[in-house]
Amino acid sequence: MRPLVLLALLLLGGCNDDLVFSPKLGDEQSYQVVTSTLVKPDGHYPSQHVDSQSLVRYRVTETGKVLRFDIANDYMALDASGQGRLRSDQPSSGDKEWRQLMAAGFELAVDANSGALVTLKGHDQALWQKALERGGSDLIRQLRQGMAVPGFVSAIPATPGATLALPDIQGHRATLTVDEVTPLQLSAHFSAEAEQARLYGRLQFDRKTTWLTHMALVMEAPFERFGITGQLRTLMVMAPKGSSLASLSYRTHYQQRDDEPFAIPTPPEQQSHAPATDHLYAEGYIDRRHDDLRLSYFLPGNPDRQELALDNIEALDASGQVIKDALLVQERSRYPLYGDIARIDTSLARTGWQENPTTIASIRADAKLYATTVRAKSLTLQPGKSQQLSLGGQTLTLSSPPNAPLELTLSHTNTATSWLLGFDGLQGTMNWQNDTKSLPDWLQPVEKEAIASIAGQGAEHLVFHLDKAPGQVTFYVLERSPEPVLRREVSFVSPNRYLANPHYPPPEALALFEGSDSAPLEPALHLDKGQGLLLTLPTAWQPLCKLSLDKGFSENGHPVTWQPAAVPEAGYLGFAAPGQQMVLATDDGKRRYFYGQSVTTRLDCTGTPGWQPLAFSADPASPWLVKVEGLDGNATVEATLARLQLLDDEGRPLALLDGHSGMPAKPGDTLASIGVDGYLRVAGLPVKARQLVVAPAPYQRQWTTDFPPLP
């Protein structure tokens, strides 16, 4: 419940020369908040981790002498080690009355002059009163503590270095120091240390709206619960709604970058900059297999030359009506699949505390495709001097100490439309450096990273340790087009409906067999642990070949023979294994490793199987749909794929899909039953094809193997 302490810090904001929080009636602000808390009891009790993600919304309902707010926790996910999980979007999660109390929301009023608490109550008065009457509830105590206004400052001087005393921040007497002031924002940090408690945080205010925008905070304090004492340590990261919850969560758990230097990477490849596709698909699909919803959309064309954004995401019920404010974007990610196809994933959480939420039948969004351009510019570096370079909407600042000409620092800030790609002309090592040196020593590395990320808001500092003095250096920035080059409304439907359209990209490439290839193209003999012998016989060779011994031996009266290592099992798609492995063993199968012996193996085949290139054609708009001339529509998939393989760019034989359902074709299906308008639907992007042919010339081969003696 600690995210609700944010309101206290809202009261530090403002505008003009001094920052004064002055919200307007009806103003509304939502924050995404992630916390990670470590509870360490004294004695032999185990420690406990409590992690939470929240979407907290504030709405101003009264201004003047009293500031009154409606506070709603629109989304919450709480994970307490040893005590299970709680999620607002899962009706079975948590106490029913507590869920009703949270769903109704809360009212908080404070004195506008002093910041003193005037009113704190739940909108559901009956449940609120009942909760108070229970007394001693940890939840209610934390809720009241979090909603109480711990400090109030009437004005923050818009002057870097100015300090203010905060009489009560979560029970601490703290000092706030202004770090930076720009026309758009004010940045500050606050800290407090007592005998058993300490606190440090950084925050930013929007000078125009007067609202708090970002915050990272670490609190450490003693606690007492049911007679148990100990220490409580919390890291909280907060950002406006629309930020990636997954990214915020990452900041609270992992040190983002290793301080160890690494080799300066090679410069990026130069590419054409036109958008790689001229169309967007009408549909993606909804994956409901996880706690959250996941939208998957497939983007054709080279993903490095374009960027896709999904905006205005809305949930629809079965009648096509919009379910208002139903979704919270958690994370956006992109994965290269095969060829030039990328999958764009968007993780969503269901907001609200409804016991019987309206079923989401589909989701729609506005898809916007942006072209990207690689910008390059060269600069002759001057050791010991500070230099700046404007490139692709960014300002790159380079500096090196006068007494260390081989140390170079590059500072820049990636934006929503511009990313630094790399550089050419620098040799040596480099590492990232965040502004963590000024932070208190008692903070842990991950806490320093989180706080520094709030202060920088995207700023990066790269430190180069050069092997030789630099001359001319070329910098590369990827710049996104200011406006989309393509737009369309996209629907996200069930996976079955998506798969039923053969003109949509397959969700993944499926190899016909597990592993990187089907089998060796020819029989292959190899040692097993140096003292045994294995031979792999590809499927096509088995009916044509005989394996024998020209020279063998016996062990304890049992001659050695070639025998199947195991009965080959069907692959994961149901097709026969691509080859049979044979093992040299005594005829009773008890021994397969030998010492100081020699054996000569002979393979005689009545023909010579081999793969030859095969021509095929692909649908230009849907290249996973292919035509191969001369195929028998009545032939089974298994029989066809035994003599014909469609290979991806890694040389793997690909499986076929049922052209109508999109599911993997079964071995017994006929080509006619799975085909679509004469095309075969491939589970991936084939780049070449091959067919099996058997040359009439006999094939013979002999191997002699000497097993080393016992050491």
Side-chain angles (χ1 to χ4, degrees):
M1 303 314 300
R2 290 187 180 274
L4 298 176
V5 75
L6 298 177
L7 185 60
L9 298 169
L10 295 177
L11 299 175
L12 300 176
C15 60
N16 301 321
D17 292 336
D18 289 344
L19 231 60
V20 179
F21 183 53
S22 52
K24 298 178 177 61
L25 189 65
D27 277 359
E28 189 171 293
Q29 190 79 6
S30 292
Y31 297 97
Q32 293 180 192
V33 185
V34 173
T35 68
S36 178
T37 298
L38 175 63
V39 183
K40 294 183 67 175
D42 297 330
H44 301 291
Y45 296 100
S47 297
Q48 183 183 39
H49 288 271
V50 181
D51 298 323
S52 72
Q53 297 181 353
S54 302
L55 176 63
V56 185
R57 174 167 45 90
Y58 298 89
R59 185 169 64 88
V60 180
T61 59
E62 182 181 340
T63 59
K65 294 182 179 180
V66 171
L67 293 178
R68 196 176 304 273
F69 300 84
D70 271 349
I71 301 179
N73 210 319
D74 292 329
Y75 171 79
M76 175 181 288
L78 187 69
D79 190 351
S81 58
Q83 295 186 13
R85 304 181 65 195
L86 181 150
R87 290 178 62 101
S88 57
D89 56 350
Q90 294 180 356
S92 61
S93 171
D95 177 77
K96 184 176 181 180
E97 289 189 351
W98 180 80
R99 291 181 60 87
Q100 291 176 356
L101 183 66
M102 294 298 296
F106 302 87
E107 177 186 305
L108 176 66
V110 295
D111 186 285
N113 293 318
S114 66
L117 178 65
V118 175
T119 303
L120 169 60
K121 61 182 180 181
H123 285 310
D124 189 320
Q125 285 293 302
L127 288 178
W128 176 252
Q129 191 60 37
K130 188 175 181 179
L132 292 178
E133 290 172 356
R134 290 175 181 172
S137 167
D138 289 327
L139 177 62
I140 297 300
R141 283 206 306 266
Q142 290 188 34
L143 186 63
R144 296 187 67 165
Q145 180 186 19
M147 285 187 174
V149 181
F152 181 87
V153 177
S154 59
I156 301 177
T159 305
T163 60
L164 293 166
L166 306 179
D168 187 12
I169 293 285
Q170 286 290 290
H172 302 279
R173 288 185 173 274
T175 300
L176 181 141
T177 303
V178 178
D179 295 322
E180 184 181 16
V181 180
T182 71
L184 299 179
Q185 67 183 27
L186 182 146
S187 303
H189 73 271
F190 55 93
S191 61
E193 288 200 41
E195 184 176 348
Q196 291 183 298
R198 47 194 175 181
L199 171 149
Y200 188 89
R202 282 186 177 172
L203 38 85
Q204 290 183 339
F205 297 94
D206 186 314
R207 297 191 67 196
K208 182 178 180 181
T209 66
T210 77
W211 286 80
L212 181 72
T213 58
H214 295 83
M215 183 185 70
L217 168 69
V218 179
M219 296 181 289
E220 187 177 63
F223 76 90
E224 181 178 355
R225 178 183 179 185
F226 305 129
I228 300 174
T229 59
Q231 200 75 4
L232 193 73
R233 188 174 182 125
T234 296
L235 168 60
M236 179 195 302
V237 177
M238 179 275 288
K241 180 182 178 180
S243 306
S244 169
L245 265 180
S247 175
L248 294 178
S249 180
Y250 188 85
R251 294 181 196 176
T252 65
H253 288 84
Y254 306 103
Q255 189 171 357
Q256 297 182 59
R257 293 184 175 127
D258 194 341
D259 291 335
E260 291 297 320
F262 55 91
I264 296 174
T266 57
E269 295 181 3
Q270 294 294 301
Q271 299 176 344
S272 60
H273 313 315
T277 184
D278 59 359
H279 73 282
L280 296 172
Y281 296 110
E283 293 178 333
Y285 67 82
I286 308 172
D287 187 345
R288 303 175 188 264
R289 292 176 295 175
H290 311 280
D291 287 339
D292 300 321
L293 300 173
R294 190 185 74 188
L295 306 183
S296 290
Y297 185 77
F298 298 87
L299 181 64
N302 189 337
D304 293 330
R305 290 163 47 193
Q306 56 193 353
E307 182 190 352
L308 183 80
L310 293 176
D311 297 329
N312 303 322
I313 300 174
E314 294 180 321
L316 307 178
D317 62 18
S319 64
Q321 297 299 308
V322 174
I323 306 172
K324 187 178 179 182
D325 298 329
L327 300 171
L328 169 65
V329 176
Q330 298 255 50
E331 182 183 13
R332 303 176 192 264
S333 52
R334 184 181 73 181
Y335 303 94
L337 289 182
Y338 47 83
D340 280 347
I341 301 293
R343 189 182 79 215
I344 313 297
D345 283 350
T346 304
S347 295
L348 305 171
R350 186 76 186 265
T351 57
W353 299 79
Q354 302 94 335
E355 292 302 310
N356 297 294
T358 303
T359 300
I360 296 176
S362 64
I363 293 174
R364 72 182 181 198
D366 293 332
K368 301 175 183 178
L369 186 70
Y370 296 85
T372 57
T373 302
V374 177
R375 307 289 187 189
K377 186 179 286 188
S378 298
L379 179 69
T380 300
L381 299 187
Q382 301 178 26
K385 293 186 178 181
S386 179
Q387 298 172 268
Q388 285 192 337
L389 179 70
S390 295
L391 178 61
Q394 292 195 40
T395 298
L396 311 181
T397 301
L398 300 109
S399 60
S400 62
N403 57 348
L406 296 183
E407 182 175 306
L408 176 69
T409 299
L410 168 61
S411 300
H412 76 105
T413 300
N414 289 325
T415 69
T417 59
S418 176
W419 305 268
L420 178 65
L421 283 183
F423 13 78
D424 190 11
L426 298 174
Q427 298 179 19
T429 61
M430 62 175 286
N431 62 280
W432 278 280
Q433 184 180 81
N434 272 336
D435 180 20
T436 60
K437 294 181 180 179
S438 62
L439 299 177
D441 292 337
W442 63 270
L443 294 176
Q444 298 174 357
V446 67
E447 295 168 341
K448 290 184 178 182
E449 288 270 4
I451 291 173
S453 69
I454 290 296
Q457 284 303 298
E460 284 190 333
H461 306 281
L462 311 179
V463 180
F464 300 91
H465 312 278
L466 305 177
D467 295 335
K468 62 180 182 179
Q472 189 177 74
V473 179
T474 302
F475 298 90
Y476 301 91
V477 167
L478 186 69
E479 186 176 21
R480 193 187 78 179
S481 59
E483 296 295 330
V485 293
L486 285 177
R487 297 172 182 256
R488 81 170 302 164
E489 184 177 288
V490 174
S491 295
F492 292 88
V493 296
S494 69
N496 286 343
R497 175 172 161 178
Y498 174 88
L499 291 172
N501 191 327
H503 296 286
Y504 290 157
E508 60 180 333
L510 292 177
L512 184 61
F513 306 104
E514 293 179 289
S516 61
D517 202 346
S518 56
L521 297 181
E522 294 184 0
L525 188 80
H526 55 275
L527 289 172
D528 179 15
K529 300 180 181 179
Q531 307 294 156
L533 206 55
L534 298 171
L535 186 143
T536 302
L537 195 61
T539 301
W541 293 70
Q542 294 174 29
L544 305 173
C545 300
K546 178 183 178 182
L547 190 62
S548 60
L549 292 175
D550 279 354
K551 175 187 176 184
F553 57 89
S554 296
E555 293 280 343
N556 297 326
H558 291 277
V560 293
T561 64
W562 281 104
Q563 48 195 276
V567 177
E569 297 180 357
Y572 72 116
L573 293 178
F575 294 89
Q580 172 67 64
Q581 190 172 75
M582 307 293 290
V583 61
L584 185 72
T586 54
D587 60 357
D588 59 1
K590 292 183 177 181
R591 295 198 61 182
R592 53 182 293 181
Y593 298 106
F594 309 101
Y595 303 88
Q597 298 284 4
S598 179
V599 65
T600 299
T601 299
R602 181 183 182 89
L603 182 69
D604 292 286
C605 305
T606 58
T608 306
W611 293 100
Q612 289 185 352
L614 178 66
F616 71 96
S617 59
D619 182 282
S622 307
W624 45 89
L625 298 178
V626 302
K627 278 186 178 181
V628 180
E629 298 297 334
L631 295 182
D632 180 3
N634 294 320
T636 65
V637 171
E638 184 169 39
T640 301
L641 294 182
R643 60 184 180 84
L644 180 151
Q645 292 183 345
L646 297 157
L647 309 177
D648 65 9
D649 55 3
E650 296 180 5
R652 300 182 306 167
L654 295 170
L656 295 180
L657 300 176
D658 185 306
H660 310 287
S661 70
M663 302 301 291
K666 299 175 183 177
D669 291 340
T670 64
L671 299 188
S673 68
I674 67 167
V676 180
D677 299 328
Y679 285 90
L680 294 177
R681 190 176 179 184
V682 185
L685 197 64
V687 297
K688 59 183 178 180
R690 64 187 183 189
Q691 62 179 340
L692 182 68
V693 296
V694 179
Y699 178 92
Q700 293 182 340
R701 188 163 181 186
Q702 192 177 66
W703 298 270
T704 297
T705 306
D706 295 318
F707 296 110
L710 280 169

